[in-house]
Amino acid sequence: MTDSAPKELWGTGHAYEQYVGRWSRRVAGPFLAWLAAPAGAAWLDVGCGTGALVSTVLDRAQPASVLGIDRAEGFVQAARAQVTDPRAQFLVGDATQLPTDARHDVTVSGLVLNFVPDHAAMLREMGRVTRPGGTVAAYVWDYAGGMQMMRHFWDVALELSPDDAQVDEADRFPICAPDALAALWEAGGLTGTATTAIEIPTVFRDFDDYWQPFLGKQGAAPAYLATLDAGVQTQIRERLEARLARTGDGRIPLTARAWAVQGRVP
């Protein structure tokens, strides 16, 4: 039994990419299409990770500039190495104390909000650094059921260790639901609040492609797995391997749903 939620380790670019970064990139496109921001805008990505959302903004939104901020220096270094477009800049900084001013037309955050203990403080900062009339938006995984790769893991892990239910992301992150997101945005004084679901395919080439990212200690489920002894880890792996359906060529077709929210600064 785990007495409290294991501390997530964030900052290793490759491990993050393999775990969720590659899927975040697929959510980013529909998210930007939903925002429909005008060309020539100044963008800010709060909790930019390895640059997945920044890259998609550069490719699809015709921005004047994009600033990515993340508290993990390893992520910022990876983003700088991967994103060489001169319109992009990356800084190390905290989501609740952003090192910038109110010069951004669109401030966004992908898959970060639930990991910041003070959601309201993060949203206040996002609003502070956005120009009046600008957009503040975010998306988070639907941990309760829509993010299947994680849901399968937690269902199996908690079958073996039911006393550890408190570490399940579905229970830890009630903010990851449309009503909760809308309520947060409205309480933060943003206007025209709207939410939507974004669903993408997450197809793994084989079981190893699914399982290996859970060994990287990046994120809640991998961090929890690392606290377990080798025998329990093996049981989880074996049960998952038996549980996950495959296509004829061995691929594992799953889906992932994210909830997105947006509003405007008065």
Side-chain angles (χ1 to χ4, degrees):
M1 177 179 176
T2 300
D3 292 332
S4 61
K7 180 177 177 60
E8 287 92 2
L9 300 176
W10 301 105
T12 305
H14 177 72
Y16 175 82
E17 278 291 309
Q18 292 302 109
Y19 183 52
V20 291
R22 53 179 168 165
W23 310 124
S24 174
R25 294 177 189 277
R26 298 191 180 187
V27 176
F31 174 67
L32 297 184
W34 179 62
L35 293 184
W43 290 69
L44 169 63
D45 179 7
V46 179
C48 65
T50 54
L53 182 51
V54 169
S55 295
T56 310
V57 171
L58 291 166
D59 289 343
R60 304 192 185 191
Q62 298 179 282
S65 63
V66 190
L67 173 61
I69 295 175
D70 200 286
R71 67 179 300 174
E73 186 172 352
F75 282 170
V76 170
Q77 290 176 351
R80 287 171 177 161
Q82 294 176 28
V83 183
T84 57
D85 191 304
R87 294 172 294 173
Q89 180 185 7
F90 296 94
L91 297 175
V92 175
D94 191 282
T96 60
Q97 294 180 310
L98 294 170
T100 186
D101 54 19
R103 57 186 173 89
H104 306 283
D105 301 302
V106 187
T107 299
V108 294
S109 183
L111 310 178
V112 172
L113 177 66
N114 49 292
F115 292 107
V116 176
D118 192 336
H119 305 141
M122 177 175 169
L123 184 59
R124 281 196 302 271
E125 278 293 275
M126 293 177 71
R128 178 186 68 78
V129 301
T130 305
R131 292 172 178 154
T135 297
V136 176
Y139 60 90
V140 293
W141 291 126
D142 176 7
Y143 293 108
M147 214 314 177
Q148 291 183 347
M149 63 169 276
M150 297 180 190
R151 189 68 263 146
H152 281 295
F153 172 87
W154 287 116
D155 287 349
V156 167
L158 297 181
E159 285 174 4
L160 293 167
S161 304
D163 290 341
D164 286 344
Q166 78 280 357
V167 302
D168 184 345
E169 288 156 301
D171 290 334
R172 288 178 58 202
F173 303 136
I175 193 66
C176 296
D179 290 348
L181 290 169
L184 177 64
W185 253 238
E186 289 165 0
L190 298 169
T191 63
T193 297
T195 61
T196 193
I198 301 172
E199 189 165 296
I200 60 166
T202 55
V203 181
F204 299 86
R205 65 177 180 271
D206 52 29
F207 182 74
D208 190 59
D209 187 36
Y210 171 85
W211 177 249
Q212 284 299 315
F214 284 97
L215 304 180
K217 301 180 182 179
Q218 297 285 299
Y224 170 74
L225 184 66
T227 69
L228 305 176
D229 65 46
V232 177
Q233 291 189 27
T234 297
Q235 290 183 69
I236 293 174
R237 178 180 57 77
E238 290 176 346
R239 291 194 184 194
L240 281 167
E241 192 165 11
R243 174 188 180 111
L244 295 171
R246 293 166 176 76
T247 60
D249 60 2
R251 292 181 300 163
I252 300 173
L254 301 176
T255 59
R257 181 168 61 225
W259 293 113
V261 60
Q262 66 169 303
R264 292 193 174 276
V265 175

